[in-house]
Amino acid sequence: MVVFVTGATGYIGSAVVRVLMQYGHQVVGLTRSDEGAAILKAAGAEAHIGTLEDLACFQSGAASADDVIHLAFRHDFSDFAGSLATDLRAVEAMGAVLKGSEKPFVITAHANGEASEDEAMALAEQGVRTSIVSLAPSVHGEKDKGFVPRLIHIAREKGFSAFIGDGSNRWTAVHRLDAASLFRLALESAPAGSRLDGVDDEGVPFRDIAGIIGKQLNVPVASISQEEAQAHFGFLGLIACFSRRISAIDCAKGWAESIRSALFIALLY
């Protein structure tokens, strides 16, 4: 299968490309730079140059592929509403050329990104095998640039490691290669309209995360109020109080038995 992957050189996207190619898929990766194109070509993938604003590029890539995985996202937290609007336009553009094709179309869930998710679910009724993958707040692994490294940086900068209230809210986690395997499984076998959770644990209390950061940095650990969260954490203020406890069984609800087994194997290894 030829898979069009947006965000193909990103932290998660590069892992998805790697896993897809390991399982015999051909990959055409969307990248915005010559440097990204060189990385993709070195990995054995084909490069498709374009930006998030270039909707024609999204459409041509989706139309010429057998499958689509959408991972690209503009991480501009100073205008997050604008980032979500850009993502919706990309989903709409690719969906327009995929209607009636029965091709798999896997998108990534984002906080407050219900519009893109609703669009994907609508496409499931229009001949597109859409699925939505929601990832844990912590997608960890080599060269992690996500939320936990940011929390470490904030604790170092502020001189203490914080949690909100009693810190009982839980953050789930998943390794980036396990997340990549979930995207592959969704692409290959998830029924139209599936919602899939990429998690590898039931959730860790945020105060424990703050405690480990404090211990490793040798700085105090302290509770702050919800009102203080944004000033302390910046854009992570809302995410820092996020809470979700989920079990491996919950992750697999709605899947066929073969997909359920494959997911558990992927998460174990």
Side-chain angles (χ1 to χ4, degrees):
M1 293 295 215
V2 177
V3 186
F4 178 52
V5 180
T6 73
T9 58
Y11 174 63
I12 298 172
S14 58
V16 170
V17 169
R18 172 180 164 186
V19 168
L20 288 173
M21 296 187 67
Q22 286 176 342
Y23 280 81
H25 296 289
Q26 299 177 50
V27 175
V28 178
L30 179 69
T31 181
R32 61 188 176 188
S33 68
D34 292 338
E35 180 184 0
I39 291 171
L40 286 167
K41 290 176 181 177
E46 182 180 337
H48 190 74
I49 303 294
T51 67
L52 274 168
E53 292 72 27
D54 186 356
L55 299 182
C57 183
F58 275 83
Q59 290 187 317
S60 62
S64 61
D66 300 306
D67 317 275
V68 179
I69 296 179
H70 177 46
L71 290 158
F73 190 77
R74 188 180 67 184
H75 294 281
D76 181 2
F77 293 100
S78 65
D79 181 22
F80 197 66
S83 297
L84 292 172
T86 299
D87 184 66
L88 174 59
R89 288 192 291 270
V91 172
E92 289 174 335
M94 289 185 284
V97 300
L98 293 173
K99 289 178 182 178
S101 67
E102 301 298 334
K103 291 180 180 180
F105 181 28
V106 187
I107 75 163
T108 312
H110 300 285
N112 297 323
E114 289 84 1
S116 291
E117 295 179 30
D118 289 345
E119 177 66 19
M121 290 296 102
L123 289 168
E125 304 297 325
Q126 301 175 65
V128 186
R129 185 159 63 81
T130 54
S131 56
I132 300 171
V133 174
S134 298
L135 294 176
S138 174
V139 182
H140 58 89
E142 185 181 1
K143 299 181 180 179
D144 184 355
K145 298 178 182 178
F147 293 156
V148 170
R150 180 62 185 164
L151 292 176
I152 295 169
H153 173 78
I154 292 169
R156 184 181 286 117
E157 184 180 64
K158 301 284 186 177
F160 72 101
S161 181
F163 57 88
I164 299 171
D166 64 4
S168 61
N169 61 299
R170 289 175 175 263
W171 268 24
T172 52
V174 65
H175 192 279
R176 66 190 285 253
L177 293 181
D178 292 334
S181 294
L182 180 57
F183 276 99
R184 177 186 67 80
L185 291 168
L187 182 84
E188 293 175 347
S189 306
S194 298
R195 293 179 180 270
L196 315 173
D197 285 300
V199 301
D200 199 16
D201 56 49
E202 293 188 345
V204 178
F206 194 86
R207 63 173 175 269
D208 293 352
I209 298 172
I212 292 171
I213 292 173
K215 180 178 180 180
Q216 294 298 318
L217 295 181
N218 195 28
V219 297
V221 180
S223 170
I224 62 174
S225 69
Q226 182 65 62
E227 292 70 28
E228 296 172 302
Q230 186 169 356
H232 182 84
F233 290 113
F235 72 86
L236 282 179
L238 290 176
I239 302 171
C241 64
F242 173 87
S243 185
R244 189 175 188 195
R245 184 169 185 165
I246 190 167
S247 70
I249 294 175
D250 292 328
C251 293
K253 281 182 179 177
W255 283 68
E257 188 64 37
S258 60
I259 302 304
R260 186 180 297 115
S261 300
L263 174 58
F264 289 152
I265 292 171
L267 294 177
L268 285 171
Y269 296 99

